Amino acid sequence: MTVKVDMEGRHHQKQIRDDYAFTVFEDEHWFALACWVYRRAWNTNERPIVLFDLATHRLVETRILLPGVSRLERLVSDVRGRVAARQYKMLAALPSPAQKRVLQDLVVVEQGKRVSRLDQLRKSPTDVSSAGVGKALDRHVDLRVLGASTWDMSDIPAGKVAALARFANAARAQAVADLAGDRKLATLVAFAATMDPLSADEAIEMFDLAVGDLVRTSGSRPTRNGCAPSRTWTRPRSCSAKSG
């Protein structure tokens, strides 16, 4: 039965080659397809099934007979693994030795504390007040000293960095600490690089909200002469007339 199915498959392939001018999937086609998948995997965050479908479409477009499903799956999996390894290695090489030690300490829960520095830094303050502004600024300073502003990340696609940073923000600190090889440090580098500018924006937003609340509160208080204070530097005419 197996021999019969194999013979039918070969006959079917021969028919496709003869009728539609398709080419057998050889080693040179494997290399060309692997390069094509590598470029897509490096520049995008497409899932394996999407890359598999795109690779299949690519082969059909170029009139090359499809290889076995398992062979194509291995190609996509191997290429994605190579892309990830290169990405982790490049990111892990960016910090200085001193910066690497500080980053790796982020996932350590110090004695007497319940959470790691990573848990503390990824949470922005929520209390809209002068104290909240101070906390937001302190958080930005703590993220700033990690050194992300000194790293040149122009050769690494921003989408790849953002994906690692999302994992660092969502996963437990212990899950990040358990990552193997360069992936752990690469994840922490991506976190620091993403959260540095984001924390600055959040601190400015917190300041704007706090000042807005202060202005609204002061604007609702009557003055000694019964007039509400102006939000501009010009004194209102009604107040001027009354005080005169």
PDB file of all heavy atoms in Angstrom, residues 11-45:
ATOM      1  N   HIS A  11       4.082   9.952  -9.733  1.00  0.00           N
ATOM      2  CA  HIS A  11       3.396  10.160 -11.015  1.00  0.00           C
ATOM      3  C   HIS A  11       2.710  11.521 -11.038  1.00  0.00           C
ATOM      4  O   HIS A  11       2.731  12.230 -12.058  1.00  0.00           O
ATOM      5  CB  HIS A  11       2.381   9.041 -11.241  1.00  0.00           C
ATOM      6  CG  HIS A  11       1.567   9.225 -12.490  1.00  0.00           C
ATOM      7  ND1 HIS A  11       2.105   9.086 -13.759  1.00  0.00           N
ATOM      8  CD2 HIS A  11       0.253   9.570 -12.657  1.00  0.00           C
ATOM      9  CE1 HIS A  11       1.170   9.315 -14.664  1.00  0.00           C
ATOM     10  NE2 HIS A  11       0.028   9.619 -14.014  1.00  0.00           N
ATOM     11  N   HIS A  12       2.098  11.863  -9.910  1.00  0.00           N
ATOM     12  CA  HIS A  12       1.418  13.158  -9.810  1.00  0.00           C
ATOM     13  C   HIS A  12       2.416  14.305  -9.952  1.00  0.00           C
ATOM     14  O   HIS A  12       2.148  15.300 -10.646  1.00  0.00           O
ATOM     15  CB  HIS A  12       0.700  13.243  -8.468  1.00  0.00           C
ATOM     16  CG  HIS A  12      -0.099  14.499  -8.295  1.00  0.00           C
ATOM     17  ND1 HIS A  12      -1.113  14.864  -9.147  1.00  0.00           N
ATOM     18  CD2 HIS A  12      -0.021  15.481  -7.355  1.00  0.00           C
ATOM     19  CE1 HIS A  12      -1.640  16.013  -8.754  1.00  0.00           C
ATOM     20  NE2 HIS A  12      -0.983  16.411  -7.669  1.00  0.00           N
ATOM     21  N   GLN A  13       3.579  14.195  -9.313  1.00  0.00           N
ATOM     22  CA  GLN A  13       4.610  15.229  -9.416  1.00  0.00           C
ATOM     23  C   GLN A  13       5.097  15.368 -10.848  1.00  0.00           C
ATOM     24  O   GLN A  13       5.292  16.486 -11.340  1.00  0.00           O
ATOM     25  CB  GLN A  13       5.786  14.887  -8.502  1.00  0.00           C
ATOM     26  CG  GLN A  13       5.507  15.096  -7.026  1.00  0.00           C
ATOM     27  CD  GLN A  13       6.747  14.879  -6.184  1.00  0.00           C
ATOM     28  OE1 GLN A  13       7.815  14.557  -6.704  1.00  0.00           O
ATOM     29  NE2 GLN A  13       6.612  15.045  -4.876  1.00  0.00           N
ATOM     30  N   LYS A  14       5.283  14.221 -11.509  1.00  0.00           N
ATOM     31  CA  LYS A  14       5.743  14.257 -12.908  1.00  0.00           C
ATOM     32  C   LYS A  14       4.711  14.951 -13.793  1.00  0.00           C
ATOM     33  O   LYS A  14       5.050  15.710 -14.716  1.00  0.00           O
ATOM     34  CB  LYS A  14       6.010  12.845 -13.412  1.00  0.00           C
ATOM     35  CG  LYS A  14       6.602  12.787 -14.819  1.00  0.00           C
ATOM     36  CD  LYS A  14       6.922  11.376 -15.233  1.00  0.00           C
ATOM     37  CE  LYS A  14       7.596  11.344 -16.615  1.00  0.00           C
ATOM     38  NZ  LYS A  14       6.828  12.042 -17.660  1.00  0.00           N
ATOM     39  N   GLN A  15       3.435  14.698 -13.496  1.00  0.00           N
ATOM     40  CA  GLN A  15       2.372  15.328 -14.281  1.00  0.00           C
ATOM     41  C   GLN A  15       2.410  16.844 -14.117  1.00  0.00           C
ATOM     42  O   GLN A  15       2.259  17.612 -15.071  1.00  0.00           O
ATOM     43  CB  GLN A  15       1.015  14.795 -13.800  1.00  0.00           C
ATOM     44  CG  GLN A  15       0.139  14.369 -14.956  1.00  0.00           C
ATOM     45  CD  GLN A  15      -1.163  13.775 -14.446  1.00  0.00           C
ATOM     46  OE1 GLN A  15      -1.369  13.574 -13.256  1.00  0.00           O
ATOM     47  NE2 GLN A  15      -2.034  13.490 -15.361  1.00  0.00           N
ATOM     48  N   ILE A  16       2.618  17.295 -12.883  1.00  0.00           N
ATOM     49  CA  ILE A  16       2.676  18.740 -12.615  1.00  0.00           C
ATOM     50  C   ILE A  16       3.872  19.353 -13.328  1.00  0.00           C
ATOM     51  O   ILE A  16       3.764  20.438 -13.925  1.00  0.00           O
ATOM     52  CB  ILE A  16       2.754  19.002 -11.096  1.00  0.00           C
ATOM     53  CG1 ILE A  16       1.457  18.564 -10.417  1.00  0.00           C
ATOM     54  CG2 ILE A  16       3.020  20.479 -10.819  1.00  0.00           C
ATOM     55  CD1 ILE A  16       1.500  18.678  -8.903  1.00  0.00           C
ATOM     56  N   ARG A  17       5.025  18.670 -13.273  1.00  0.00           N
ATOM     57  CA  ARG A  17       6.219  19.192 -13.957  1.00  0.00           C
ATOM     58  C   ARG A  17       5.984  19.298 -15.456  1.00  0.00           C
ATOM     59  O   ARG A  17       6.346  20.297 -16.084  1.00  0.00           O
ATOM     60  CB  ARG A  17       7.433  18.281 -13.689  1.00  0.00           C
ATOM     61  CG  ARG A  17       7.915  18.296 -12.259  1.00  0.00           C
ATOM     62  CD  ARG A  17       9.353  17.793 -12.148  1.00  0.00           C
ATOM     63  NE  ARG A  17       9.550  16.506 -12.804  1.00  0.00           N
ATOM     64  CZ  ARG A  17       9.391  15.334 -12.212  1.00  0.00           C
ATOM     65  NH1 ARG A  17       9.019  15.290 -10.932  1.00  0.00           N
ATOM     66  NH2 ARG A  17       9.601  14.203 -12.862  1.00  0.00           N
ATOM     67  N   ASP A  18       5.375  18.276 -16.046  1.00  0.00           N
ATOM     68  CA  ASP A  18       5.167  18.258 -17.491  1.00  0.00           C
ATOM     69  C   ASP A  18       4.099  19.253 -17.930  1.00  0.00           C
ATOM     70  O   ASP A  18       4.262  19.952 -18.935  1.00  0.00           O
ATOM     71  CB  ASP A  18       4.769  16.849 -17.945  1.00  0.00           C
ATOM     72  CG  ASP A  18       5.896  15.850 -17.741  1.00  0.00           C
ATOM     73  OD1 ASP A  18       7.052  16.306 -17.572  1.00  0.00           O
ATOM     74  OD2 ASP A  18       5.622  14.636 -17.721  1.00  0.00           O
ATOM     75  N   ASP A  19       3.021  19.335 -17.175  1.00  0.00           N
ATOM     76  CA  ASP A  19       1.887  20.178 -17.594  1.00  0.00           C
ATOM     77  C   ASP A  19       2.063  21.647 -17.236  1.00  0.00           C
ATOM     78  O   ASP A  19       1.567  22.522 -17.953  1.00  0.00           O
ATOM     79  CB  ASP A  19       0.583  19.664 -16.972  1.00  0.00           C
ATOM     80  CG  ASP A  19       0.214  18.276 -17.472  1.00  0.00           C
ATOM     81  OD1 ASP A  19       0.811  17.833 -18.485  1.00  0.00           O
ATOM     82  OD2 ASP A  19      -0.656  17.624 -16.866  1.00  0.00           O
ATOM     83  N   TYR A  20       2.732  21.932 -16.112  1.00  0.00           N
ATOM     84  CA  TYR A  20       2.807  23.317 -15.637  1.00  0.00           C
ATOM     85  C   TYR A  20       4.234  23.846 -15.529  1.00  0.00           C
ATOM     86  O   TYR A  20       4.459  24.946 -15.007  1.00  0.00           O
ATOM     87  CB  TYR A  20       2.131  23.433 -14.260  1.00  0.00           C
ATOM     88  CG  TYR A  20       0.678  23.035 -14.285  1.00  0.00           C
ATOM     89  CD1 TYR A  20       0.281  21.778 -13.831  1.00  0.00           C
ATOM     90  CD2 TYR A  20      -0.298  23.891 -14.772  1.00  0.00           C
ATOM     91  CE1 TYR A  20      -1.051  21.393 -13.853  1.00  0.00           C
ATOM     92  CE2 TYR A  20      -1.639  23.522 -14.797  1.00  0.00           C
ATOM     93  CZ  TYR A  20      -2.002  22.261 -14.335  1.00  0.00           C
ATOM     94  OH  TYR A  20      -3.325  21.891 -14.359  1.00  0.00           O
ATOM     95  N   ALA A  21       5.201  23.103 -16.014  1.00  0.00           N
ATOM     96  CA  ALA A  21       6.606  23.530 -16.037  1.00  0.00           C
ATOM     97  C   ALA A  21       7.135  23.840 -14.632  1.00  0.00           C
ATOM     98  O   ALA A  21       7.844  24.831 -14.420  1.00  0.00           O
ATOM     99  CB  ALA A  21       6.776  24.748 -16.950  1.00  0.00           C
ATOM    100  N   PHE A  22       6.793  22.980 -13.664  1.00  0.00           N
ATOM    101  CA  PHE A  22       7.315  23.131 -12.302  1.00  0.00           C
ATOM    102  C   PHE A  22       8.673  22.440 -12.184  1.00  0.00           C
ATOM    103  O   PHE A  22       8.996  21.531 -12.955  1.00  0.00           O
ATOM    104  CB  PHE A  22       6.342  22.525 -11.289  1.00  0.00           C
ATOM    105  CG  PHE A  22       5.335  23.508 -10.768  1.00  0.00           C
ATOM    106  CD1 PHE A  22       4.431  24.126 -11.618  1.00  0.00           C
ATOM    107  CD2 PHE A  22       5.292  23.830  -9.423  1.00  0.00           C
ATOM    108  CE1 PHE A  22       3.495  25.025 -11.144  1.00  0.00           C
ATOM    109  CE2 PHE A  22       4.365  24.734  -8.933  1.00  0.00           C
ATOM    110  CZ  PHE A  22       3.457  25.344  -9.799  1.00  0.00           C
ATOM    111  N   THR A  23       9.472  22.875 -11.211  1.00  0.00           N
ATOM    112  CA  THR A  23      10.811  22.327 -10.978  1.00  0.00           C
ATOM    113  C   THR A  23      10.830  21.561  -9.663  1.00  0.00           C
ATOM    114  O   THR A  23      10.156  21.937  -8.699  1.00  0.00           O
ATOM    115  CB  THR A  23      11.846  23.473 -10.918  1.00  0.00           C
ATOM    116  OG1 THR A  23      11.747  24.251 -12.096  1.00  0.00           O
ATOM    117  CG2 THR A  23      13.254  22.920 -10.789  1.00  0.00           C
ATOM    118  N   VAL A  24      11.619  20.502  -9.614  1.00  0.00           N
ATOM    119  CA  VAL A  24      11.769  19.737  -8.374  1.00  0.00           C
ATOM    120  C   VAL A  24      12.517  20.572  -7.340  1.00  0.00           C
ATOM    121  O   VAL A  24      13.448  21.314  -7.670  1.00  0.00           O
ATOM    122  CB  VAL A  24      12.524  18.414  -8.653  1.00  0.00           C
ATOM    123  CG1 VAL A  24      12.755  17.647  -7.350  1.00  0.00           C
ATOM    124  CG2 VAL A  24      11.746  17.555  -9.635  1.00  0.00           C
ATOM    125  N   PHE A  25      12.110  20.468  -6.080  1.00  0.00           N
ATOM    126  CA  PHE A  25      12.731  21.202  -4.979  1.00  0.00           C
ATOM    127  C   PHE A  25      14.109  20.606  -4.676  1.00  0.00           C
ATOM    128  O   PHE A  25      14.223  19.552  -4.048  1.00  0.00           O
ATOM    129  CB  PHE A  25      11.829  21.129  -3.741  1.00  0.00           C
ATOM    130  CG  PHE A  25      12.268  22.003  -2.612  1.00  0.00           C
ATOM    131  CD1 PHE A  25      12.056  23.366  -2.627  1.00  0.00           C
ATOM    132  CD2 PHE A  25      12.905  21.458  -1.490  1.00  0.00           C
ATOM    133  CE1 PHE A  25      12.458  24.174  -1.569  1.00  0.00           C
ATOM    134  CE2 PHE A  25      13.306  22.244  -0.438  1.00  0.00           C
ATOM    135  CZ  PHE A  25      13.076  23.609  -0.474  1.00  0.00           C
ATOM    136  N   GLU A  26      15.163  21.282  -5.129  1.00  0.00           N
ATOM    137  CA  GLU A  26      16.537  20.802  -4.942  1.00  0.00           C
ATOM    138  C   GLU A  26      17.247  21.627  -3.867  1.00  0.00           C
ATOM    139  O   GLU A  26      16.665  22.561  -3.293  1.00  0.00           O
ATOM    140  CB  GLU A  26      17.311  20.902  -6.270  1.00  0.00           C
ATOM    141  CG  GLU A  26      16.679  20.143  -7.425  1.00  0.00           C
ATOM    142  CD  GLU A  26      16.834  18.633  -7.286  1.00  0.00           C
ATOM    143  OE1 GLU A  26      17.455  18.175  -6.301  1.00  0.00           O
ATOM    144  OE2 GLU A  26      16.339  17.913  -8.176  1.00  0.00           O
ATOM    145  N   ASP A  27      18.523  21.303  -3.632  1.00  0.00           N
ATOM    146  CA  ASP A  27      19.286  21.981  -2.585  1.00  0.00           C
ATOM    147  C   ASP A  27      19.396  23.495  -2.823  1.00  0.00           C
ATOM    148  O   ASP A  27      19.330  24.289  -1.873  1.00  0.00           O
ATOM    149  CB  ASP A  27      20.690  21.387  -2.487  1.00  0.00           C
ATOM    150  CG  ASP A  27      20.671  19.987  -1.892  1.00  0.00           C
ATOM    151  OD1 ASP A  27      19.637  19.618  -1.296  1.00  0.00           O
ATOM    152  OD2 ASP A  27      21.670  19.257  -2.042  1.00  0.00           O
ATOM    153  N   GLU A  28      19.599  23.887  -4.094  1.00  0.00           N
ATOM    154  CA  GLU A  28      19.723  25.321  -4.360  1.00  0.00           C
ATOM    155  C   GLU A  28      18.426  26.065  -4.066  1.00  0.00           C
ATOM    156  O   GLU A  28      18.429  27.235  -3.653  1.00  0.00           O
ATOM    157  CB  GLU A  28      20.166  25.577  -5.810  1.00  0.00           C
ATOM    158  CG  GLU A  28      19.198  25.094  -6.887  1.00  0.00           C
ATOM    159  CD  GLU A  28      19.519  23.686  -7.363  1.00  0.00           C
ATOM    160  OE1 GLU A  28      20.162  22.939  -6.597  1.00  0.00           O
ATOM    161  OE2 GLU A  28      19.148  23.355  -8.499  1.00  0.00           O
ATOM    162  N   HIS A  29      17.285  25.394  -4.268  1.00  0.00           N
ATOM    163  CA  HIS A  29      15.999  26.016  -3.947  1.00  0.00           C
ATOM    164  C   HIS A  29      15.816  26.105  -2.431  1.00  0.00           C
ATOM    165  O   HIS A  29      15.247  27.069  -1.918  1.00  0.00           O
ATOM    166  CB  HIS A  29      14.856  25.205  -4.565  1.00  0.00           C
ATOM    167  CG  HIS A  29      14.971  25.053  -6.050  1.00  0.00           C
ATOM    168  ND1 HIS A  29      14.963  23.828  -6.679  1.00  0.00           N
ATOM    169  CD2 HIS A  29      15.135  25.970  -7.031  1.00  0.00           C
ATOM    170  CE1 HIS A  29      15.098  23.997  -7.983  1.00  0.00           C
ATOM    171  NE2 HIS A  29      15.205  25.297  -8.213  1.00  0.00           N
ATOM    172  N   TRP A  30      16.316  25.083  -1.725  1.00  0.00           N
ATOM    173  CA  TRP A  30      16.251  25.121  -0.263  1.00  0.00           C
ATOM    174  C   TRP A  30      17.023  26.325   0.271  1.00  0.00           C
ATOM    175  O   TRP A  30      16.531  27.054   1.130  1.00  0.00           O
ATOM    176  CB  TRP A  30      16.860  23.829   0.303  1.00  0.00           C
ATOM    177  CG  TRP A  30      16.732  23.705   1.795  1.00  0.00           C
ATOM    178  CD1 TRP A  30      15.784  23.019   2.495  1.00  0.00           C
ATOM    179  CD2 TRP A  30      17.602  24.295   2.781  1.00  0.00           C
ATOM    180  NE1 TRP A  30      16.001  23.132   3.841  1.00  0.00           N
ATOM    181  CE2 TRP A  30      17.102  23.920   4.056  1.00  0.00           C
ATOM    182  CE3 TRP A  30      18.730  25.096   2.710  1.00  0.00           C
ATOM    183  CZ2 TRP A  30      17.707  24.324   5.236  1.00  0.00           C
ATOM    184  CZ3 TRP A  30      19.335  25.507   3.898  1.00  0.00           C
ATOM    185  CH2 TRP A  30      18.829  25.124   5.139  1.00  0.00           C
ATOM    186  N   PHE A  31      18.218  26.553  -0.252  1.00  0.00           N
ATOM    187  CA  PHE A  31      19.043  27.674   0.214  1.00  0.00           C
ATOM    188  C   PHE A  31      18.379  29.013  -0.106  1.00  0.00           C
ATOM    189  O   PHE A  31      18.336  29.913   0.747  1.00  0.00           O
ATOM    190  CB  PHE A  31      20.420  27.605  -0.443  1.00  0.00           C
ATOM    191  CG  PHE A  31      21.349  28.702  -0.006  1.00  0.00           C
ATOM    192  CD1 PHE A  31      21.967  28.662   1.235  1.00  0.00           C
ATOM    193  CD2 PHE A  31      21.595  29.799  -0.825  1.00  0.00           C
ATOM    194  CE1 PHE A  31      22.815  29.683   1.654  1.00  0.00           C
ATOM    195  CE2 PHE A  31      22.439  30.816  -0.419  1.00  0.00           C
ATOM    196  CZ  PHE A  31      23.055  30.763   0.823  1.00  0.00           C
ATOM    197  N   ALA A  32      17.848  29.140  -1.314  1.00  0.00           N
ATOM    198  CA  ALA A  32      17.197  30.397  -1.704  1.00  0.00           C
ATOM    199  C   ALA A  32      15.975  30.664  -0.838  1.00  0.00           C
ATOM    200  O   ALA A  32      15.740  31.803  -0.401  1.00  0.00           O
ATOM    201  CB  ALA A  32      16.802  30.348  -3.181  1.00  0.00           C
ATOM    202  N   LEU A  33      15.198  29.623  -0.571  1.00  0.00           N
ATOM    203  CA  LEU A  33      14.011  29.797   0.263  1.00  0.00           C
ATOM    204  C   LEU A  33      14.393  30.116   1.702  1.00  0.00           C
ATOM    205  O   LEU A  33      13.755  30.950   2.351  1.00  0.00           O
ATOM    206  CB  LEU A  33      13.152  28.528   0.219  1.00  0.00           C
ATOM    207  CG  LEU A  33      11.839  28.591   0.998  1.00  0.00           C
ATOM    208  CD1 LEU A  33      10.917  29.657   0.411  1.00  0.00           C
ATOM    209  CD2 LEU A  33      11.151  27.231   1.011  1.00  0.00           C
ATOM    210  N   ALA A  34      15.447  29.470   2.202  1.00  0.00           N
ATOM    211  CA  ALA A  34      15.904  29.742   3.567  1.00  0.00           C
ATOM    212  C   ALA A  34      16.339  31.195   3.718  1.00  0.00           C
ATOM    213  O   ALA A  34      16.039  31.839   4.727  1.00  0.00           O
ATOM    214  CB  ALA A  34      17.056  28.805   3.925  1.00  0.00           C
ATOM    215  N   CYS A  35      17.019  31.729   2.718  1.00  0.00           N
ATOM    216  CA  CYS A  35      17.434  33.144   2.752  1.00  0.00           C
ATOM    217  C   CYS A  35      16.226  34.061   2.757  1.00  0.00           C
ATOM    218  O   CYS A  35      16.181  35.070   3.473  1.00  0.00           O
ATOM    219  CB  CYS A  35      18.334  33.458   1.556  1.00  0.00           C
ATOM    220  SG  CYS A  35      19.956  32.671   1.613  1.00  0.00           S
ATOM    221  N   TRP A  36      15.221  33.703   1.962  1.00  0.00           N
ATOM    222  CA  TRP A  36      13.999  34.522   1.877  1.00  0.00           C
ATOM    223  C   TRP A  36      13.252  34.502   3.207  1.00  0.00           C
ATOM    224  O   TRP A  36      12.812  35.540   3.705  1.00  0.00           O
ATOM    225  CB  TRP A  36      13.122  33.986   0.747  1.00  0.00           C
ATOM    226  CG  TRP A  36      11.890  34.797   0.499  1.00  0.00           C
ATOM    227  CD1 TRP A  36      11.776  35.921  -0.251  1.00  0.00           C
ATOM    228  CD2 TRP A  36      10.577  34.535   1.029  1.00  0.00           C
ATOM    229  NE1 TRP A  36      10.486  36.383  -0.237  1.00  0.00           N
ATOM    230  CE2 TRP A  36       9.727  35.548   0.539  1.00  0.00           C
ATOM    231  CE3 TRP A  36      10.045  33.542   1.845  1.00  0.00           C
ATOM    232  CZ2 TRP A  36       8.372  35.593   0.851  1.00  0.00           C
ATOM    233  CZ3 TRP A  36       8.690  33.586   2.165  1.00  0.00           C
ATOM    234  CH2 TRP A  36       7.871  34.607   1.675  1.00  0.00           C
ATOM    235  N   VAL A  37      13.118  33.324   3.795  1.00  0.00           N
ATOM    236  CA  VAL A  37      12.446  33.205   5.095  1.00  0.00           C
ATOM    237  C   VAL A  37      13.236  33.941   6.175  1.00  0.00           C
ATOM    238  O   VAL A  37      12.658  34.591   7.052  1.00  0.00           O
ATOM    239  CB  VAL A  37      12.260  31.717   5.474  1.00  0.00           C
ATOM    240  CG1 VAL A  37      11.730  31.592   6.910  1.00  0.00           C
ATOM    241  CG2 VAL A  37      11.308  31.025   4.512  1.00  0.00           C
ATOM    242  N   TYR A  38      14.561  33.876   6.100  1.00  0.00           N
ATOM    243  CA  TYR A  38      15.412  34.554   7.088  1.00  0.00           C
ATOM    244  C   TYR A  38      15.159  36.060   7.077  1.00  0.00           C
ATOM    245  O   TYR A  38      15.030  36.687   8.137  1.00  0.00           O
ATOM    246  CB  TYR A  38      16.880  34.265   6.793  1.00  0.00           C
ATOM    247  CG  TYR A  38      17.834  34.730   7.873  1.00  0.00           C
ATOM    248  CD1 TYR A  38      18.316  33.840   8.821  1.00  0.00           C
ATOM    249  CD2 TYR A  38      18.235  36.066   7.954  1.00  0.00           C
ATOM    250  CE1 TYR A  38      19.183  34.253   9.821  1.00  0.00           C
ATOM    251  CE2 TYR A  38      19.088  36.495   8.947  1.00  0.00           C
ATOM    252  CZ  TYR A  38      19.562  35.595   9.876  1.00  0.00           C
ATOM    253  OH  TYR A  38      20.411  36.025  10.878  1.00  0.00           O
ATOM    254  N   ARG A  39      15.096  36.639   5.875  1.00  0.00           N
ATOM    255  CA  ARG A  39      14.864  38.088   5.779  1.00  0.00           C
ATOM    256  C   ARG A  39      13.512  38.465   6.379  1.00  0.00           C
ATOM    257  O   ARG A  39      13.404  39.479   7.079  1.00  0.00           O
ATOM    258  CB  ARG A  39      14.957  38.535   4.320  1.00  0.00           C
ATOM    259  CG  ARG A  39      16.375  38.568   3.772  1.00  0.00           C
ATOM    260  CD  ARG A  39      16.448  39.296   2.435  1.00  0.00           C
ATOM    261  NE  ARG A  39      15.717  38.582   1.391  1.00  0.00           N
ATOM    262  CZ  ARG A  39      16.257  37.652   0.615  1.00  0.00           C
ATOM    263  NH1 ARG A  39      17.529  37.312   0.776  1.00  0.00           N
ATOM    264  NH2 ARG A  39      15.541  37.047  -0.321  1.00  0.00           N
ATOM    265  N   ARG A  40      12.495  37.657   6.107  1.00  0.00           N
ATOM    266  CA  ARG A  40      11.179  37.954   6.665  1.00  0.00           C
ATOM    267  C   ARG A  40      11.179  37.771   8.183  1.00  0.00           C
ATOM    268  O   ARG A  40      10.613  38.583   8.928  1.00  0.00           O
ATOM    269  CB  ARG A  40      10.112  37.058   6.035  1.00  0.00           C
ATOM    270  CG  ARG A  40       9.774  37.397   4.602  1.00  0.00           C
ATOM    271  CD  ARG A  40       8.412  36.841   4.234  1.00  0.00           C
ATOM    272  NE  ARG A  40       7.359  37.547   4.932  1.00  0.00           N
ATOM    273  CZ  ARG A  40       6.666  38.560   4.433  1.00  0.00           C
ATOM    274  NH1 ARG A  40       6.919  38.997   3.210  1.00  0.00           N
ATOM    275  NH2 ARG A  40       5.706  39.131   5.136  1.00  0.00           N
ATOM    276  N   ALA A  41      11.783  36.709   8.665  1.00  0.00           N
ATOM    277  CA  ALA A  41      11.815  36.441  10.097  1.00  0.00           C
ATOM    278  C   ALA A  41      12.605  37.512  10.847  1.00  0.00           C
ATOM    279  O   ALA A  41      12.291  37.837  11.997  1.00  0.00           O
ATOM    280  CB  ALA A  41      12.414  35.065  10.359  1.00  0.00           C
ATOM    281  N   TRP A  42      13.637  38.065  10.207  1.00  0.00           N
ATOM    282  CA  TRP A  42      14.443  39.100  10.854  1.00  0.00           C
ATOM    283  C   TRP A  42      13.702  40.426  10.940  1.00  0.00           C
ATOM    284  O   TRP A  42      13.796  41.140  11.943  1.00  0.00           O
ATOM    285  CB  TRP A  42      15.757  39.284  10.098  1.00  0.00           C
ATOM    286  CG  TRP A  42      16.631  40.376  10.663  1.00  0.00           C
ATOM    287  CD1 TRP A  42      16.839  41.619  10.150  1.00  0.00           C
ATOM    288  CD2 TRP A  42      17.381  40.320  11.887  1.00  0.00           C
ATOM    289  NE1 TRP A  42      17.675  42.333  10.967  1.00  0.00           N
ATOM    290  CE2 TRP A  42      18.029  41.560  12.034  1.00  0.00           C
ATOM    291  CE3 TRP A  42      17.574  39.333  12.847  1.00  0.00           C
ATOM    292  CZ2 TRP A  42      18.855  41.847  13.117  1.00  0.00           C
ATOM    293  CZ3 TRP A  42      18.398  39.621  13.939  1.00  0.00           C
ATOM    294  CH2 TRP A  42      19.024  40.864  14.062  1.00  0.00           C
ATOM    295  N   ASN A  43      12.962  40.755   9.908  1.00  0.00           N
ATOM    296  CA  ASN A  43      12.327  42.076   9.840  1.00  0.00           C
ATOM    297  C   ASN A  43      10.901  42.112  10.362  1.00  0.00           C
ATOM    298  O   ASN A  43      10.324  43.201  10.498  1.00  0.00           O
ATOM    299  CB  ASN A  43      12.339  42.585   8.392  1.00  0.00           C
ATOM    300  CG  ASN A  43      13.732  42.928   7.909  1.00  0.00           C
ATOM    301  OD1 ASN A  43      14.423  43.751   8.498  1.00  0.00           O
ATOM    302  ND2 ASN A  43      14.176  42.286   6.834  1.00  0.00           N
ATOM    303  N   THR A  44      10.303  40.968  10.634  1.00  0.00           N
ATOM    304  CA  THR A  44       8.924  40.932  11.121  1.00  0.00           C
ATOM    305  C   THR A  44       8.829  40.003  12.329  1.00  0.00           C
ATOM    306  O   THR A  44       9.783  39.322  12.683  1.00  0.00           O
ATOM    307  CB  THR A  44       7.959  40.423  10.029  1.00  0.00           C
ATOM    308  OG1 THR A  44       8.209  39.025   9.800  1.00  0.00           O
ATOM    309  CG2 THR A  44       8.152  41.186   8.721  1.00  0.00           C
ATOM    310  N   ASN A  45       7.658  39.998  12.940  1.00  0.00           N
ATOM    311  CA  ASN A  45       7.382  39.093  14.060  1.00  0.00           C
ATOM    312  C   ASN A  45       6.303  38.081  13.666  1.00  0.00           C
ATOM    313  O   ASN A  45       5.451  37.712  14.482  1.00  0.00           O
ATOM    314  CB  ASN A  45       6.937  39.886  15.299  1.00  0.00           C
ATOM    315  CG  ASN A  45       8.089  40.611  15.958  1.00  0.00           C
ATOM    316  OD1 ASN A  45       9.163  40.054  16.144  1.00  0.00           O
ATOM    317  ND2 ASN A  45       7.882  41.870  16.307  1.00  0.00           N
TER     318      ASN A  45
END
